[in-house]
Short mmCIF file of all heavy atoms in Angstrom, two decimals:
data_model
loop_
_atom_site.label_atom_id
_atom_site.label_comp_id
_atom_site.label_asym_id
_atom_site.label_seq_id
_atom_site.Cartn_x
_atom_site.Cartn_y
_atom_site.Cartn_z
N VAL A 574 105.57 128.77 -36.15
CA VAL A 574 104.61 127.76 -35.83
C VAL A 574 103.44 128.00 -36.68
O VAL A 574 103.03 129.13 -36.97
CB VAL A 574 104.21 127.75 -34.35
CG1 VAL A 574 105.41 127.38 -33.45
CG2 VAL A 574 103.65 129.11 -33.87
N TRP A 575 102.86 126.92 -37.27
CA TRP A 575 101.87 127.13 -38.27
C TRP A 575 100.99 125.81 -38.47
O TRP A 575 101.32 124.81 -37.87
CB TRP A 575 102.58 127.45 -39.58
CG TRP A 575 103.49 126.38 -40.05
CD1 TRP A 575 104.83 126.29 -39.57
CD2 TRP A 575 103.32 125.41 -40.98
NE1 TRP A 575 105.41 125.23 -40.25
CE2 TRP A 575 104.54 124.65 -41.02
CE3 TRP A 575 102.26 124.95 -41.70
CZ2 TRP A 575 104.75 123.58 -41.94
CZ3 TRP A 575 102.45 123.90 -42.58
CH2 TRP A 575 103.62 123.18 -42.60
N HIS A 576 99.89 126.07 -39.12
CA HIS A 576 99.08 124.85 -39.59
C HIS A 576 98.41 125.34 -40.92
O HIS A 576 98.08 126.46 -41.08
CB HIS A 576 98.07 124.59 -38.56
CG HIS A 576 97.90 123.05 -38.44
ND1 HIS A 576 97.31 122.33 -39.48
CD2 HIS A 576 98.20 122.19 -37.47
CE1 HIS A 576 97.21 121.06 -39.13
NE2 HIS A 576 97.85 120.83 -37.85
N TYR A 577 98.26 124.29 -41.67
CA TYR A 577 97.47 124.57 -42.95
C TYR A 577 96.28 123.71 -42.97
O TYR A 577 96.12 122.74 -42.19
CB TYR A 577 98.34 124.35 -44.15
CG TYR A 577 98.60 122.82 -44.54
CD1 TYR A 577 98.02 122.23 -45.55
CD2 TYR A 577 99.41 122.04 -43.76
CE1 TYR A 577 98.14 120.87 -45.87
CE2 TYR A 577 99.67 120.69 -44.07
CZ TYR A 577 99.03 120.09 -45.21
OH TYR A 577 99.21 118.79 -45.46
N GLY A 578 95.30 123.98 -43.78
CA GLY A 578 94.16 123.17 -43.93
C GLY A 578 93.80 123.05 -45.38
O GLY A 578 94.09 123.83 -46.10
N GLU A 579 93.12 121.85 -45.67
CA GLU A 579 92.67 121.60 -47.02
C GLU A 579 91.48 120.73 -47.04
O GLU A 579 91.48 119.66 -46.42
CB GLU A 579 93.82 120.93 -47.78
CG GLU A 579 93.52 120.57 -49.26
CD GLU A 579 94.61 119.75 -49.88
OE1 GLU A 579 95.68 119.77 -49.38
OE2 GLU A 579 94.37 119.22 -50.95
N VAL A 580 90.41 121.13 -47.69
CA VAL A 580 89.26 120.28 -47.98
C VAL A 580 89.33 120.11 -49.53
O VAL A 580 89.10 121.04 -50.27
CB VAL A 580 87.95 120.87 -47.62
CG1 VAL A 580 86.79 119.93 -47.86
CG2 VAL A 580 87.93 121.27 -46.11
N PRO A 581 89.78 118.92 -49.99
CA PRO A 581 89.93 118.75 -51.52
C PRO A 581 88.78 119.35 -52.25
O PRO A 581 87.55 119.03 -51.95
CB PRO A 581 90.14 117.33 -51.62
CG PRO A 581 90.67 116.80 -50.26
CD PRO A 581 90.04 117.68 -49.19
N ASP A 582 89.09 120.17 -53.24
CA ASP A 582 88.15 120.70 -54.21
C ASP A 582 87.16 121.73 -53.58
O ASP A 582 86.18 122.16 -54.14
CB ASP A 582 87.38 119.64 -54.90
CG ASP A 582 88.16 118.79 -55.78
OD1 ASP A 582 89.15 119.31 -56.24
OD2 ASP A 582 87.77 117.58 -55.89
N LEU A 583 87.38 122.18 -52.23
CA LEU A 583 86.43 122.97 -51.58
C LEU A 583 87.05 124.23 -50.94
O LEU A 583 86.53 125.38 -51.00
CB LEU A 583 85.64 122.19 -50.46
CG LEU A 583 84.72 121.10 -51.06
CD1 LEU A 583 84.16 120.36 -49.74
CD2 LEU A 583 83.62 121.71 -51.85
N ALA A 584 88.21 124.08 -50.27
CA ALA A 584 88.63 125.20 -49.40
C ALA A 584 90.15 124.90 -48.92
O ALA A 584 90.50 123.71 -48.99
CB ALA A 584 87.77 125.51 -48.26
N SER A 585 90.80 125.94 -48.57
CA SER A 585 92.09 125.77 -47.90
C SER A 585 92.41 126.95 -47.02
O SER A 585 91.87 128.05 -47.20
CB SER A 585 93.17 125.58 -49.00
OG SER A 585 93.05 126.58 -50.03
N SER A 586 93.50 126.85 -46.17
CA SER A 586 93.74 127.85 -45.14
C SER A 586 95.20 127.76 -44.73
O SER A 586 95.79 126.67 -44.86
CB SER A 586 92.81 127.74 -43.99
OG SER A 586 92.91 126.40 -43.44
N LEU A 587 95.66 128.83 -44.19
CA LEU A 587 96.97 128.85 -43.67
C LEU A 587 96.99 129.84 -42.44
O LEU A 587 96.61 131.04 -42.59
CB LEU A 587 98.09 129.26 -44.72
CG LEU A 587 99.52 129.48 -44.23
CD1 LEU A 587 100.12 128.06 -43.77
CD2 LEU A 587 100.37 130.04 -45.31
N LEU A 588 97.52 129.37 -41.34
CA LEU A 588 97.68 130.26 -40.10
C LEU A 588 99.16 130.04 -39.62
O LEU A 588 99.62 129.03 -39.45
CB LEU A 588 96.72 129.87 -39.02
CG LEU A 588 97.03 130.63 -37.64
CD1 LEU A 588 96.87 132.11 -37.76
CD2 LEU A 588 96.02 130.07 -36.62
N LEU A 589 99.96 131.25 -39.70
CA LEU A 589 101.35 131.02 -39.41
C LEU A 589 101.71 132.16 -38.39
O LEU A 589 101.36 133.34 -38.64
CB LEU A 589 102.15 131.31 -40.72
CG LEU A 589 103.68 131.08 -40.74
CD1 LEU A 589 104.15 130.79 -42.26
CD2 LEU A 589 104.36 132.36 -40.26
N LEU A 590 102.46 131.76 -37.37
CA LEU A 590 102.82 132.69 -36.34
C LEU A 590 104.31 132.72 -36.19
O LEU A 590 105.07 131.72 -36.40
CB LEU A 590 102.31 132.22 -34.95
CG LEU A 590 100.85 131.84 -34.87
CD1 LEU A 590 100.55 131.56 -33.36
CD2 LEU A 590 99.91 132.91 -35.27
N VAL A 591 104.82 133.93 -35.95
CA VAL A 591 106.26 134.13 -35.61
C VAL A 591 106.29 134.67 -34.16
O VAL A 591 106.44 135.86 -34.07
CB VAL A 591 106.99 135.00 -36.62
CG1 VAL A 591 108.46 134.96 -36.34
CG2 VAL A 591 106.72 134.56 -38.06
N PRO A 592 106.32 133.79 -33.17
CA PRO A 592 106.09 134.31 -31.75
C PRO A 592 107.06 135.32 -31.29
O PRO A 592 106.67 136.35 -30.78
CB PRO A 592 106.23 133.00 -30.96
CG PRO A 592 105.74 131.92 -31.91
CD PRO A 592 106.27 132.35 -33.21
N GLU A 593 108.34 135.20 -31.60
CA GLU A 593 109.31 136.08 -31.15
C GLU A 593 109.29 137.47 -31.83
O GLU A 593 109.74 138.46 -31.29
CB GLU A 593 110.74 135.42 -31.18
CG GLU A 593 111.26 135.37 -32.62
CD GLU A 593 112.62 134.66 -32.77
OE1 GLU A 593 112.71 133.45 -32.58
OE2 GLU A 593 113.62 135.46 -32.97
N LYS A 594 108.69 137.51 -32.98
CA LYS A 594 108.42 138.80 -33.70
C LYS A 594 107.06 139.31 -33.45
O LYS A 594 106.79 140.43 -34.01
CB LYS A 594 108.73 138.57 -35.22
CG LYS A 594 110.07 138.03 -35.61
CD LYS A 594 111.21 139.00 -35.19
CE LYS A 594 112.62 138.41 -35.67
NZ LYS A 594 113.62 139.32 -35.35
N LYS A 595 106.28 138.61 -32.78
CA LYS A 595 104.91 139.01 -32.61
C LYS A 595 104.15 139.29 -33.88
O LYS A 595 103.35 140.30 -34.12
CB LYS A 595 104.71 140.29 -31.72
CG LYS A 595 105.33 140.02 -30.33
CD LYS A 595 105.20 141.31 -29.45
CE LYS A 595 105.84 141.02 -28.01
NZ LYS A 595 105.76 142.26 -27.22
N LEU A 596 104.26 138.21 -34.81
CA LEU A 596 103.72 138.39 -36.09
C LEU A 596 102.87 137.17 -36.42
O LEU A 596 103.02 136.15 -35.95
CB LEU A 596 104.79 138.41 -37.17
CG LEU A 596 105.61 139.73 -37.45
CD1 LEU A 596 106.88 139.48 -38.21
CD2 LEU A 596 104.76 140.83 -38.06
N ALA A 597 101.79 137.36 -37.27
CA ALA A 597 101.03 136.32 -37.74
C ALA A 597 100.47 136.54 -39.15
O ALA A 597 100.21 137.76 -39.44
CB ALA A 597 99.86 136.07 -36.74
N LEU A 598 100.35 135.49 -39.87
CA LEU A 598 99.86 135.54 -41.28
C LEU A 598 98.63 134.72 -41.37
O LEU A 598 98.63 133.54 -40.74
CB LEU A 598 100.88 135.07 -42.31
CG LEU A 598 100.26 134.82 -43.71
CD1 LEU A 598 99.85 136.23 -44.38
CD2 LEU A 598 101.23 134.02 -44.50
N ILE A 599 97.43 135.19 -41.96
CA ILE A 599 96.28 134.42 -42.07
C ILE A 599 95.90 134.51 -43.63
O ILE A 599 95.85 135.61 -44.08
CB ILE A 599 95.10 134.95 -41.27
CG1 ILE A 599 95.55 135.04 -39.74
CG2 ILE A 599 93.86 134.12 -41.54
CD1 ILE A 599 94.90 136.12 -39.07
N VAL A 600 95.71 133.29 -44.26
CA VAL A 600 95.23 133.28 -45.59
C VAL A 600 94.23 132.29 -45.81
O VAL A 600 94.44 131.12 -45.29
CB VAL A 600 96.36 133.03 -46.65
CG1 VAL A 600 95.87 133.33 -47.98
CG2 VAL A 600 97.57 133.80 -46.31
N LEU A 601 93.03 132.62 -46.28
CA LEU A 601 91.98 131.66 -46.57
C LEU A 601 91.47 131.71 -47.99
O LEU A 601 91.52 132.74 -48.65
CB LEU A 601 90.74 132.11 -45.66
CG LEU A 601 91.13 132.40 -44.23
CD1 LEU A 601 89.87 132.90 -43.51
CD2 LEU A 601 91.56 131.04 -43.52
N ALA A 602 90.95 130.63 -48.55
CA ALA A 602 90.58 130.51 -49.90
C ALA A 602 89.36 129.61 -50.11
O ALA A 602 89.04 128.70 -49.22
CB ALA A 602 91.71 129.97 -50.72
N ASP A 603 88.59 129.80 -51.09
CA ASP A 603 87.41 128.98 -51.42
C ASP A 603 87.72 127.86 -52.39
O ASP A 603 86.72 127.22 -52.90
CB ASP A 603 86.27 129.86 -51.91
CG ASP A 603 86.70 130.47 -53.30
OD1 ASP A 603 87.81 130.44 -53.72
OD2 ASP A 603 85.68 131.10 -53.89
N THR A 604 88.96 127.57 -52.65
CA THR A 604 89.35 126.37 -53.37
C THR A 604 90.55 125.68 -52.55
O THR A 604 90.84 126.27 -51.42
CB THR A 604 89.94 126.66 -54.82
OG1 THR A 604 91.27 127.29 -54.61
CG2 THR A 604 89.06 127.60 -55.55
N ASP A 605 91.00 124.58 -52.98
CA ASP A 605 92.05 123.92 -52.30
C ASP A 605 93.47 124.52 -52.72
O ASP A 605 94.53 123.92 -52.26
CB ASP A 605 92.10 122.38 -52.26
CG ASP A 605 92.20 121.91 -53.75
OD1 ASP A 605 92.56 122.72 -54.68
OD2 ASP A 605 91.89 120.82 -54.10
N GLY A 606 93.46 125.67 -53.44
CA GLY A 606 94.67 126.09 -54.09
C GLY A 606 95.72 126.61 -53.07
O GLY A 606 96.86 126.71 -53.47
N LEU A 607 95.41 126.99 -51.84
CA LEU A 607 96.47 127.42 -50.91
C LEU A 607 97.31 126.25 -50.48
O LEU A 607 98.41 126.48 -50.08
CB LEU A 607 95.75 128.03 -49.59
CG LEU A 607 95.17 129.35 -49.59
CD1 LEU A 607 94.63 129.70 -48.19
CD2 LEU A 607 96.25 130.42 -50.00
N SER A 608 96.78 125.03 -50.55
CA SER A 608 97.45 123.89 -50.02
C SER A 608 97.79 122.87 -51.01
O SER A 608 98.91 122.33 -51.06
CB SER A 608 96.56 123.26 -48.88
OG SER A 608 96.24 124.24 -47.87
N ALA A 609 96.80 122.41 -51.96
CA ALA A 609 97.09 121.22 -52.72
C ALA A 609 98.33 121.37 -53.56
O ALA A 609 99.07 120.31 -53.72
CB ALA A 609 95.90 121.01 -53.56
N PRO A 610 98.60 122.49 -54.26
CA PRO A 610 99.78 122.55 -55.14
C PRO A 610 101.06 122.45 -54.26
O PRO A 610 102.05 122.08 -54.88
CB PRO A 610 99.74 123.94 -55.78
CG PRO A 610 98.22 124.37 -55.68
CD PRO A 610 97.85 123.73 -54.35
N PHE A 611 101.10 122.69 -53.02
CA PHE A 611 102.23 122.81 -52.20
C PHE A 611 102.26 121.65 -51.07
O PHE A 611 103.02 121.77 -50.07
CB PHE A 611 102.48 124.08 -51.56
CG PHE A 611 102.04 125.21 -52.54
CD1 PHE A 611 100.83 125.94 -52.36
CD2 PHE A 611 102.88 125.54 -53.66
CE1 PHE A 611 100.50 126.88 -53.34
CE2 PHE A 611 102.40 126.48 -54.59
CZ PHE A 611 101.32 127.21 -54.40
N ASP A 612 101.36 120.68 -51.23
CA ASP A 612 101.19 119.77 -50.22
C ASP A 612 102.45 118.84 -49.89
O ASP A 612 102.55 118.40 -48.74
CB ASP A 612 100.00 118.78 -50.63
CG ASP A 612 99.56 117.92 -49.38
OD1 ASP A 612 99.10 118.43 -48.46
OD2 ASP A 612 99.67 116.65 -49.48
N ASP A 613 103.32 118.58 -50.88
CA ASP A 613 104.48 117.79 -50.59
C ASP A 613 105.30 118.40 -49.49
O ASP A 613 105.75 117.77 -48.59
CB ASP A 613 105.27 117.63 -51.85
CG ASP A 613 104.72 116.59 -52.87
OD1 ASP A 613 103.78 115.83 -52.44
OD2 ASP A 613 105.16 116.52 -53.96
N ALA A 614 105.42 119.67 -49.62
CA ALA A 614 106.15 120.39 -48.59
C ALA A 614 105.51 120.54 -47.33
O ALA A 614 105.95 120.36 -46.18
CB ALA A 614 106.66 121.74 -49.02
N LEU A 615 104.22 121.08 -47.37
CA LEU A 615 103.48 121.30 -46.20
C LEU A 615 103.18 120.07 -45.32
O LEU A 615 103.38 120.08 -44.21
CB LEU A 615 102.09 121.92 -46.55
CG LEU A 615 102.22 123.35 -47.25
CD1 LEU A 615 100.83 123.71 -47.78
CD2 LEU A 615 102.68 124.41 -46.34
N SER A 616 102.91 118.94 -45.99
CA SER A 616 102.55 117.70 -45.22
C SER A 616 103.72 117.13 -44.46
O SER A 616 103.67 116.44 -43.55
CB SER A 616 101.93 116.77 -46.19
OG SER A 616 102.87 116.33 -47.10
#
């Protein structure tokens, strides 16, 4: 389960959980690079 965020030209984020494994990933950036290049898949 996850969500991504994108403010064009400003910031991006990713929060990803794997509940059954008790795992989570957090990635934050000061550009839209976490999301914009991969938006076709993420959206």
Side-chain angles (χ1 to χ4, degrees):
V574 295
W575 56 278
H576 218 294
Y577 76 107
E579 178 185 347
V580 184
D582 294 333
L583 294 174
S585 48
S586 56
L587 176 66
L588 174 60
L589 188 156
L590 312 181
V591 188
E593 68 182 76
K594 304 293 185 181
K595 299 181 180 179
L596 285 164
L598 169 71
I599 303 142
V600 193
L601 308 173
D603 65 348
T604 70
D605 60 11
L607 283 180
S608 304
F611 319 107
D612 191 62
D613 286 349
L615 294 173
S616 63

